[in-house]
Amino acid sequence: MIKRTQPTGKKGKSWRAKLNAWLHLWLGLASGIVVFIVSITGCLFSFQKEISEKVHHDIMFVQPQQKATLPISTLMDNAQKALGPDKKVNYITTFKDKDRAWEFMTYVKGDPTAITYFGSVKYYEAVFLNPYTGEVVGHHDFKYDFFAIVKMIHWSLLLNGRVGEQIVGWSVLIFVILLITGLILWWPKKWTKSTKEQSFKIKWKASFKRVNYDLHNVLGFYAMAIALVLALTGMVWSFKWFQNTVYVVAARSITPPAHKNGVSDTTLVGTPQRGLDIAFESIRKDMPDAKRIGLSAPDTGKAAVVYMSAYWGNEVYYDRDDFQFDKYTGKMLAKVTKKDRNAGEKLIGMNYDIHVGAIGGIIGKIIAFIVSLICASLPVTGFIVWWGKGKKKNKKSVKAVAKAAPAAAV
């Protein structure tokens, strides 16, 4: 006689699946608050240029004129008078657009042991000048600027030094793991019509619990690729080892290229002001299509050089050529164009523009905004999913106890 065995039921999850689910849950709970803060501030920062230019239009723009701009040294002297003798101009941004005011920045670090961003910055200000008349049209304190604060929350939770950056960096690294474990959890065991509906569509007419689950599951999948790019580009700033890894992989070399560094000839006759004017005008003449020219104010060191960068885009930073000039004579000492950089340098140089979406223009920034918003929602919807499962387990436990009570009393 053959003995029949009772069916054992469905096969349980493998240890790999259980480990993956465990990692996704507890790593998500551990990093959720930081991921939410970093994502929502990234979302806010996406259109900072457009919003700032709208809000501060009166100081960032001037009436365009047909006459030539004043010498850059004259404008710098005017900016220095407006800032006062104790706050030296150390960076200047000029624009090809005739309706833009030119920006003269002063920045000095504060207490290196300060706890917050505010203590770590002594001052961070800029004056905006009409390049045709030399008139100061505005003075702005960037230390307390809304978007400067948003950026520092995003960068280091408004903390000073490496502590905040490390907290953000490790939380973002955990987020990368969450994206991978989330994809494994999302992936259906079988691709049927039903699983496709559940995996790719949000069932808006279902219960709140189901809609919340779909928002976490479906939106997380759609945002994953861009979210991974945003996370990895963010890690480049947090971890030097990761930046080096990105460089080596892209350049296929562990040896950085040797670029020439110039030195001003202190034996030559000249003045820093005249050298600055000559250098600046030579760049404007040789590169008339440059959208912006950024330059450092001459350093006090006798052999120091003037650094300039010609940017070919309205907002991006990677698409540029860098120059060094003798600060006394304006003679070009060194030049590094975008063609001179290897693949590793180019990728690292593109990191900021990729991270904020600016590399794709307004479309890229819209995508970065939407994906950042989805990333901010994932810790929230994920927590609600976990909380709902916990309440469900508690209800089952209460029912089991209630059923067992009469039997125990007999």
Side-chain angles (χ1 to χ4, degrees):
M1 184 176 180
I2 299 174
K3 186 177 180 180
R4 295 185 180 181
T5 58
Q6 295 295 324
T8 57
K10 293 182 178 179
K11 187 179 179 181
K13 292 183 178 179
S14 68
W15 68 268
R16 293 184 186 86
K18 290 179 180 179
L19 176 61
N20 184 79
W22 184 88
L23 286 172
H24 191 77
L25 169 62
W26 292 107
L27 290 179
L29 291 174
S31 64
I33 293 176
V34 177
V35 170
F36 173 80
I37 293 172
V38 170
S39 299
I40 205 69
T41 49
C43 187
L44 288 171
F45 196 77
S46 297
F47 298 103
Q48 62 86 20
K49 177 179 181 290
E50 290 79 4
I51 295 173
S52 294
E53 289 180 355
K54 189 72 174 177
V55 174
H56 303 294
H57 188 275
D58 58 330
I59 67 172
M60 291 185 170
F61 292 84
V62 298
Q63 190 69 29
Q65 299 182 29
Q66 296 303 317
K67 63 181 182 179
T69 59
L70 294 176
I72 192 69
S73 62
T74 300
L75 294 170
M76 190 176 74
D77 287 342
N78 290 359
Q80 191 62 72
K81 290 175 183 176
L83 289 168
D86 298 328
K87 297 179 179 179
K88 299 295 183 182
V89 173
N90 45 34
Y91 196 77
I92 305 166
T93 303
T94 70
F95 299 89
K96 179 185 177 183
D97 294 338
K98 294 183 178 296
D99 64 342
R100 289 299 303 262
W102 290 7
E103 182 179 325
F104 294 77
M105 183 75 68
T106 179
Y107 172 84
V108 169
K109 292 181 179 180
D111 182 2
T113 64
I115 297 175
T116 69
Y117 150 76
F118 298 107
S120 67
V121 176
K122 187 174 182 180
Y123 50 80
Y124 177 21
E125 302 174 24
V127 290
F128 296 83
L129 269 68
N130 185 321
Y132 307 102
T133 65
E135 175 191 4
V136 175
V137 295
H139 186 165
H140 188 66
D141 188 347
F142 279 98
K143 179 177 178 178
Y144 299 101
D145 179 78
F146 173 77
F147 284 112
I149 294 173
V150 167
K151 181 180 178 180
M152 293 312 299
I153 294 173
H154 182 80
W155 187 286
S156 62
L157 302 179
L158 215 59
L159 298 174
N160 176 31
R162 298 293 296 173
V163 175
E165 291 177 31
Q166 290 295 301
I167 293 172
V168 170
W170 286 107
S171 297
V172 172
L173 177 57
I174 290 173
F175 182 64
V176 171
I177 298 172
L178 291 172
L179 290 172
I180 297 169
T181 55
L183 178 64
I184 295 171
L185 288 170
W186 171 89
W187 200 273
K189 291 181 179 179
K190 293 182 179 180
W191 287 101
T192 64
K193 183 179 179 181
S194 176
T195 58
K196 288 178 181 178
E197 288 282 332
Q198 293 176 1
S199 300
F200 295 106
K201 293 183 180 180
I202 299 173
K203 198 172 182 180
W204 293 107
K205 294 183 180 180
S207 65
F208 169 79
K209 184 178 178 180
R210 174 57 190 274
V211 171
N212 180 77
Y213 177 80
D214 285 350
L215 288 172
H216 187 80
N217 197 45
V218 178
L219 291 185
F221 168 75
Y222 283 127
M224 180 185 172
I226 303 299
L228 193 59
V229 171
L230 297 178
L232 293 176
T233 51
M235 285 172 57
V236 167
W237 293 310
S238 295
F239 303 120
K240 187 66 178 178
W241 60 265
F242 187 75
Q243 183 183 114
N244 292 337
T245 302
V246 171
Y247 173 84
V248 170
V249 170
R252 290 175 291 180
S253 171
I254 60 173
T255 305
H259 295 306
K260 180 183 177 182
N261 286 315
V263 177
S264 292
D265 189 347
T266 57
T267 65
L268 298 177
V269 178
T271 64
Q273 290 79 11
R274 178 168 171 74
L276 182 66
D277 289 336
I278 293 172
F280 180 67
E281 291 305 325
S282 69
I283 289 292
R284 295 181 77 185
K285 181 181 178 181
D286 295 341
M287 300 185 174
D289 295 328
K291 299 293 185 180
R292 294 171 291 145
I293 297 175
L295 56 149
S296 65
D299 193 86
T300 55
K302 289 184 178 181
V305 300
V306 176
Y307 294 93
M308 291 194 191
S309 295
Y311 298 93
W312 302 102
N314 284 320
E315 186 175 0
V316 295
Y317 291 91
Y318 79 94
D319 191 10
R320 73 181 194 279
D321 295 336
D322 296 329
F323 307 88
Q324 297 176 37
F325 294 91
D326 188 300
K327 71 174 184 177
Y328 302 107
T329 65
K331 177 184 176 182
M332 185 183 296
L333 302 173
K335 175 182 179 182
V336 179
T337 69
K338 53 185 178 181
K339 294 180 180 179
D340 298 326
R341 300 183 182 94
N342 64 31
E345 289 178 296
K346 289 178 181 177
L347 186 56
I348 297 299
M350 295 167 71
N351 193 75
Y352 175 82
D353 300 313
I354 295 172
H355 189 71
V356 299
I359 197 167
I362 191 66
I363 300 299
K365 295 172 80 169
I366 291 172
I367 292 172
F369 173 86
I370 294 172
V371 172
S372 295
L373 190 60
I374 292 173
C375 290
S377 75
L378 293 178
V380 179
T381 53
F383 178 82
I384 294 172
V385 169
W386 171 75
W387 186 260
K389 286 183 178 180
K391 291 179 71 175
K392 186 177 180 180
K393 286 181 181 179
N394 289 336
K395 286 182 179 179
K396 286 183 177 180
S397 299
V398 171
K399 287 182 179 179
V401 171
K403 287 181 178 180
V410 173

